[in-house]
Amino acid sequence: MSQKNAELRSFQHDFNEYIYTMNDMAAREDMKELKEYLADLSKRKEIIYYFDTGNVVANAVVNRYYEMAEAQGIIFRYIGKWSGKLYGITDVEICCVLSNLLKNAFEAVMRIPEGREKKIIIEMGRDAMHEYIFLENMAVGYEETDGKLVTHKKDKDCHGIGMENVKKIINKCCGRLEWKYEDGVFYTWVYFLIEEMTS
């Protein structure tokens, strides 16, 4: 992740030079050279589209699922950034929460029939008291029993555990988890207390 950050800073540092060079080629109407230059720059899109969440562990999870979604032709949009330290939660637990949420969203979108829009939107930010995760993904229905999401996988005894682990972590750190399904879209909200607000 540190290496990716360094590559992103390097790209940003040279960005103005890239624009100047393209302007020069366009002014000279050298379309062949300009197309070759753009093709070379496009190879670096993994740097350009790198998402910075404000948390190193969250960076790893969000960017992994971005790459997975892109490979499957799924629209993946990321918004916002965390700006504070979360109360009562470890990096391992952050990984568990975020990876389970995104895994469920990814698998739900993958079940959508071909020809229909496939999209995942994740927002991470801060309100007055919380750092939050908001996740929106397309879905073809869902089932809930006794407040628990029902897995669509065949081996039900070995699946559906992820969200229960997420709920345990969120309860432990005095956070809050909410979800709803409406008109083919599944919405999830997770709220974490900010450490400075609890002191």
Side-chain angles (χ1 to χ4, degrees), residues 66-81:
Y66 162 71
E67 291 170 0
M68 289 169 60
E70 185 182 51
Q72 296 295 329
I74 297 169
I75 299 168
F76 189 103
R77 294 179 183 159
Y78 174 80
I79 305 163
K81 194 172 185 177

Side-chain angles (χ1 to χ4, degrees), residues 56-171:
V56 174
V57 173
N59 285 351
V61 177
V62 169
N63 283 283
R64 173 174 177 250
Y65 276 93
Y66 162 71
E67 291 170 0
M68 289 169 60
E70 185 182 51
Q72 296 295 329
I74 297 169
I75 299 168
F76 189 103
R77 294 179 183 159
Y78 174 80
I79 305 163
K81 194 172 185 177
W82 279 347
S83 58
K85 183 172 175 55
L86 307 185
Y87 170 77
I89 188 169
T90 67
D91 284 343
V92 171
E93 290 169 332
I94 291 171
C95 179
C96 177
V97 169
L98 198 50
S99 60
N100 273 295
L101 294 178
L102 281 168
K103 181 181 179 184
N104 286 349
F106 181 81
E107 290 176 348
V109 171
M110 287 295 290
R111 287 192 293 271
I112 293 174
E114 290 301 321
R116 291 178 55 185
E117 183 179 48
K118 300 183 179 185
K119 182 168 63 178
I120 297 171
I121 299 172
I122 179 168
E123 179 179 346
M124 296 171 66
R126 179 171 182 167
D127 61 20
M129 290 291 295
H130 307 91
E131 296 282 3
Y132 65 84
I133 301 168
F134 169 67
L135 190 59
E136 175 183 332
N137 62 272
M138 319 303 283
V140 184
Y142 91 104
E143 295 176 54
E144 182 177 336
T145 302
D146 298 328
K148 297 180 180 180
L149 292 176
V150 178
T151 181
H152 287 265
K153 296 174 182 175
K154 292 180 181 178
D155 187 0
K156 297 185 183 294
D157 289 337
C158 296
H159 296 287
I161 300 170
M163 283 305 289
E164 289 307 303
N165 288 341
V166 167
K167 288 165 72 173
K168 287 176 185 176
I169 290 169
I170 292 170
N171 289 337

Side-chain angles (χ1 to χ4, degrees), residues 8-70:
L8 180 61
R9 287 194 298 271
S10 173
F11 184 88
Q12 290 171 334
H13 178 267
D14 294 333
F15 181 76
N16 287 337
E17 291 300 320
Y18 297 144
I19 298 298
Y20 175 81
T21 302
M22 287 187 286
N23 280 333
D24 180 64
M25 292 174 182
R28 289 187 283 108
E29 297 185 359
D30 190 342
M31 294 301 108
K32 181 177 182 295
E33 186 179 4
L34 179 57
K35 286 179 180 178
E36 290 174 354
Y37 188 79
L38 286 171
D40 184 50
L41 274 182
S42 70
K43 294 174 184 176
R44 304 188 66 187
K45 68 179 180 178
E46 70 276 6
I47 298 172
I48 301 170
Y49 288 102
Y50 170 72
F51 301 122
D52 181 9
T53 68
N55 178 280
V56 174
V57 173
N59 285 351
V61 177
V62 169
N63 283 283
R64 173 174 177 250
Y65 276 93
Y66 162 71
E67 291 170 0
M68 289 169 60
E70 185 182 51

